[in-house]
């Protein structure tokens, strides 16, 4: 069995779970509920990942893999999947969207951390910068929607999907669908895929 440090609300863990669904690898994964919070390093998790981040994967020989970028590619290789297109435009588009989605998520998580600091401790300058970058990212994705729609389901499209889901989950007030309506249509189709539906984050639980 492969041991995955897991939480139901982490968008980076979700990427791994979507890959596992797509690759029919769920039976090979033992999920270990691990709490990872930036301000509270988790000592048990740090035995497997000194950075105290999830997802972290422990292989059968006890060696570890992180982060989500590495774990997703590992699962895809193990299963002989097609989530990481091998060459050409499909490959570079998928890798760019992968990086784009991860970067968007990073901005959103840091934005949320800042937003949740006590009044008077928040940096308005940082929050403005996150707001600007997230809006610019949505405008860019809106401009790329025809390419997204034409692309095969891959690590790139699923990661963009995870970032958009995180907007719904934690940034409802942004009203992102009004900012990027064609992207919202594309996302509605992606979201209906069984692996995406099975891994949607739940507000409660
Ligand atoms: N680049 C990492 C990011 C993982 C990450 O930041 N995970 C969050 C949970 S969503 C975490 O573990 N945060 C705890 C921390 O930053 O200390 C990946 O792709 O796996």
């Amino acid at each position: 069995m492969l041991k995955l440090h897991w939480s139901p609300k982490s968008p980076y863990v979700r990427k791994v779970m979507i890959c596992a669904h797509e690759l029919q690898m769920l039976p090979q994964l033992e999920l270990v509920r691990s709490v990872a919070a930036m301000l509270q390093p988790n000592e048990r998790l740090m035995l497997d990942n000194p950075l105290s981040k999830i997802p972290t994967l422990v292989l059968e020989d006890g060696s570890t893999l992180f982060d989500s970028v590495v774990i997703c590619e590992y699962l895809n290789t193990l299963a002989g999947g097609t989530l990481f297109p091998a060459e050409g435009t499909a490959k570079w588009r998928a890798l760019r969207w992968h990086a784009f989605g991860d970067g968007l998520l990073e901005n959103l998580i840091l934005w949320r951390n800042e937003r949740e600091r006590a009044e008077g401790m928040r940096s308005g300058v940082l929050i403005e910068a996150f707001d600007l970058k997230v809006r610019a990212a949505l405008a860019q994705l809106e401009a790329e929607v025809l390419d997204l729609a034409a692309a095969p389901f891959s690590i790139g499209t699923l990661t963009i999907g995870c970032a958009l889901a995180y907007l719904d989950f934690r940034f409802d007030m942004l009203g992102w669908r009004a900012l990027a309506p064609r992207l919202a249509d594309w996302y509605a189709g992606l979201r209906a895929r069984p692996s995406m539906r099975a891994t949607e984050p739940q507000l409660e639980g």
Side-chain angles (χ1 to χ4, degrees):
M1 286 289 264
L2 301 166
K3 186 174 100 180
L4 179 69
H5 288 285
W6 170 94
S7 135
K9 292 180 185 171
S10 159
Y12 294 104
V13 169
R14 185 177 181 209
K15 287 169 54 192
V16 173
M17 295 303 290
I18 294 167
C19 290
H21 266 265
E22 293 284 338
L23 299 164
Q24 267 108 49
M25 289 191 71
L26 284 177
Q28 293 170 58
L29 285 187
E30 176 196 346
L31 304 183
V32 178
R33 179 76 163 93
S34 298
V35 177
M38 215 172 261
L39 298 180
Q40 269 180 309
N42 173 337
E43 282 180 19
R44 195 179 52 120
L45 172 60
M46 287 172 75
L47 297 174
D48 291 326
N49 179 348
L51 301 176
S52 188
K53 281 183 184 279
I54 53 173
T56 293
L57 188 71
V58 184
L59 307 189
E60 273 163 18
D61 66 1
S63 61
T64 58
L65 287 180
F66 51 85
D67 55 8
S68 68
V69 173
V70 179
I71 299 171
C72 290
E73 185 165 358
Y74 176 75
L75 295 184
N76 187 64
T77 302
L78 213 57
T82 56
L83 295 173
F84 285 74
E87 56 190 18
T89 306
K91 171 176 177 170
W92 299 113
R93 280 197 177 152
L95 292 185
R96 176 178 169 280
W97 281 323
H98 190 186
F100 198 166
D102 275 355
L104 178 51
L105 278 169
E106 191 179 47
N107 267 278
L108 291 170
I109 288 169
L110 292 174
W111 183 356
R112 176 165 180 254
N113 286 348
E114 200 57 34
R115 183 178 79 182
E116 300 216 330
R117 281 157 72 98
E119 188 121 22
M121 300 292 286
R122 285 175 214 140
S123 160
V125 180
L126 259 183
I127 288 177
E128 258 177 54
F130 291 137
D131 186 85
L132 183 73
K133 286 188 273 184
V134 168
R135 284 171 196 275
L138 284 168
Q140 181 61 39
L141 290 170
E142 178 79 349
E144 293 176 21
V145 78
L146 289 180
D147 290 339
L148 283 166
F153 186 81
S154 75
I155 189 64
T157 54
L158 76 85
T159 302
I160 296 294
C162 287
L164 297 176
Y166 193 77
L167 282 169
D168 281 341
F169 186 48
R170 299 292 194 197
F171 285 84
D172 203 30
M173 76 297 179
L174 202 67
W176 73 268
R177 285 180 174 74
L179 304 173
R182 292 188 305 155
L183 184 66
D185 286 346
W186 169 77
Y187 172 62
L190 187 88
R191 190 181 180 186
R193 209 175 158 94
S195 63
M196 301 295 293
R197 286 168 62 101
T199 55
E200 280 221 354
Q202 307 296 327
L203 270 177
E204 298 308 320

